Amino acid sequence: MDLPTPTGSSSRRQLLRATAATGLAAMAPRLAAGQSAAASPASPPAATATPPPAHPLLTPADDFYDVSRGNPKPHKLVGEALVKARLTPEAWRLEIVADPFVSDLVKEPASITKPLAIADGTALDLPALLEMGKRHGVRYLKAMQCLNIPSPLGQGLWEGVPLRDVLRLCGPMRNVRRLYFHGFHNNDPKQLFQSSLSYTEAMETPPGELPAFIAYRLNGEPVSLERGGPVRMVIPWAHGFKSIKWLQRISLTNDFKANDTYANQNNDPDSHLKTAAYTDKCPDTFAAGQPIIMTGLVMSGLSGLKRVEYWLHRVEPGAPAVTQDDVTYRAAQWTPADLESPPADWRQVLPAGVAPKDLLGFDPATGRPLQWPLRYSMISWSAALKDLKPGKYEFRARAVDLNDFAQPEPRPILKSGKNGVDAVRFEVL
Ligand SMILES: Nc1nc2c(c(=O)[nH]1)N[C@H]1C(S)=C(S)[C@@H](COP(=O)(O)O)O[C@H]1N2
Ligand SMILES: [Mo]
């Protein structure tokens, strides 16, 4: 079993983005990454006109790049099969049970006072979860990214109930060190796809951080079947494999190992989203004399974002290819790129009826983001290249985190998240 086959509308999203600039959009104020939006001076005049962001802040649910296992894939089920899979809003149930697991090392199994089980009618249904949402509901912007795909899958406004509040329904517990969770997998053990968190990660949310939660809305709509609805796990800090779709069952266990299905494929099951810039495809050729706008996305991962910077160099005929950390690479001059500013009017971005002050990560008084970009979210960047003489060029963009580590540092281990610095080549004619 290897990486699940990505399907979906990636080609639509990854349409050529770099453009020869004509009639650029209105001037926009800039805000340095990591700077507090609330503390920024009132609209400093921008030095140059910036183009509109290359990517929307909210990705339409259908435009997410889909990464799903299963045969048939759960979101392809219809009619009675969908009801039997409990993937309609009426049929959906969440079980929370104790795992009897013991081993040479783990002497005592987990136990919980009030399991939620289908057999005795105590499993959580959607109306009960939505009711909990009225008191405990959270909303935030978060990008989804697969550990194994070198580009984010999409970004949404997710809504749901923190896992910690749902777990408290089960009363006092003993010997619970982790929880496993999985979605519908055609009742076939070979298709099981599960992920896990430590009990601490699920129950204790540090101030200002985003909680693990059980999501039922995306971009103001019920989570679609393709995006893992009716109900999906969302783990804000983690790669997509922890955000289990078609959530059905949480199993509380005394097994202390991160027994995620993804770990079996040599992936780091404790990976966090990485701060990294990703460059959009660009045309192979540009006409000399026209400015060129390179674009992409940057993810603010665990270590935050200070800036995006780029390096453009001419590829002289016969020159050897540049490789990461060779002499040419180490001597590179990197130039800061422009970052998308926070929207002046969030109502243009958010679904109707959702105010920015209701979102985690925003100041409840001013409705402004407390940091920019928001942690575990992504924004567009752009770089205007001017006066390029005819010739062949290589362009690279990289993120620098709040600890001054430049991508792919600090963790250039591809099995904890693809964050390589890729080169884009083009020719000016
Ligand atoms: N039940 C289930 N949940 C799943 C998966 C899956 O195959 N089955 N794939 C995971 C992986 S590896 C990723 S990257 C994300 C992708 O989410 P998306 O398809 O909504 O973009 O879903 C995760 N949740
Ligand atoms: Mo993934």
Side-chain angles (χ1 to χ4, degrees), residues 3-4 64-70 74 144-149 153-154 158 182-185 191 193 226-228 232 239-247 262:
L3 173 69
F64 275 61
Y65 196 102
D66 183 73
V67 184
S68 300
R69 282 151 204 263
M144 199 59 71
Q145 180 166 28
C146 182
L147 181 148
N148 279 310
I149 299 177
L153 308 175
W158 301 91
H182 60 76
F184 178 75
H185 54 273
Q191 297 187 27
F193 186 73
E226 183 176 318
R227 287 283 71 69
R232 161 180 203 165
H239 288 98
F241 69 90
K242 297 260 189 204
S243 292
I244 292 288
K245 294 186 275 197
W246 314 295
L247 182 66
Y262 238 51

Side-chain angles (χ1 to χ4, degrees), residues 190-212:
K190 289 209 194 93
Q191 297 187 27
L192 179 83
F193 186 73
Q194 78 174 22
S195 276
S196 72
L197 287 181
S198 76
Y199 178 80
T200 304
E201 288 173 310
M203 296 306 284
E204 292 159 57
T205 309
E209 282 292 327
L210 304 174

Side-chain angles (χ1 to χ4, degrees), residues 18 78 119 142 154 164 177 193 235 287 320 323 330 332 336 346 396 401 403 418:
V78 290
K142 177 212 157 23
R164 53 173 195 262
R177 281 191 278 179
F193 186 73
I235 309 299
T323 54
R330 286 202 306 273
W346 279 94
R396 287 174 175 80
D401 75 8
N403 305 316
K418 289 237 162 91

Side-chain angles (χ1 to χ4, degrees), residues 98-248:
D99 178 7
F101 176 83
V102 285
S103 70
D104 286 351
L105 285 173
V106 179
K107 307 287 181 213
E108 293 182 69
S111 66
I112 60 182
T113 321
K114 285 191 278 179
L116 307 181
I118 288 183
D120 64 4
T122 53
L124 192 67
D125 61 16
L126 191 55
L129 184 65
L130 295 174
E131 192 57 35
M132 288 184 77
K134 289 184 188 157
R135 265 190 306 140
H136 300 292
V138 291
R139 295 182 167 117
Y140 51 71
L141 285 172
K142 177 212 157 23
M144 199 59 71
Q145 180 166 28
C146 182
L147 181 148
N148 279 310
I149 299 177
S151 162
L153 308 175
Q155 174 158 278
L157 172 71
W158 301 91
E159 297 182 43
V161 178
L163 194 48
R164 53 173 195 262
D165 294 305
V166 175
L167 292 177
R168 289 183 68 193
L169 297 175
C170 299
M173 309 178 179
R174 281 168 49 83
N175 294 312
V176 174
R177 281 191 278 179
R178 285 196 86 75
L179 32 139
Y180 295 152
F181 33 92
H182 60 76
F184 178 75
H185 54 273
N186 296 304
N187 301 322
D188 173 0
K190 289 209 194 93
Q191 297 187 27
L192 179 83
F193 186 73
Q194 78 174 22
S195 276
S196 72
L197 287 181
S198 76
Y199 178 80
T200 304
E201 288 173 310
M203 296 306 284
E204 292 159 57
T205 309
E209 282 292 327
L210 304 174
F213 80 114
I214 296 184
Y216 45 72
R217 287 178 88 76
L218 168 60
N219 297 344
E221 306 280 338
V223 178
S224 67
L225 196 55
E226 183 176 318
R227 287 283 71 69
V231 177
R232 161 180 203 165
M233 189 71 86
V234 176
I235 309 299
W237 59 85
H239 288 98
F241 69 90
K242 297 260 189 204
S243 292
I244 292 288
K245 294 186 275 197
W246 314 295
L247 182 66
Q248 287 205 313

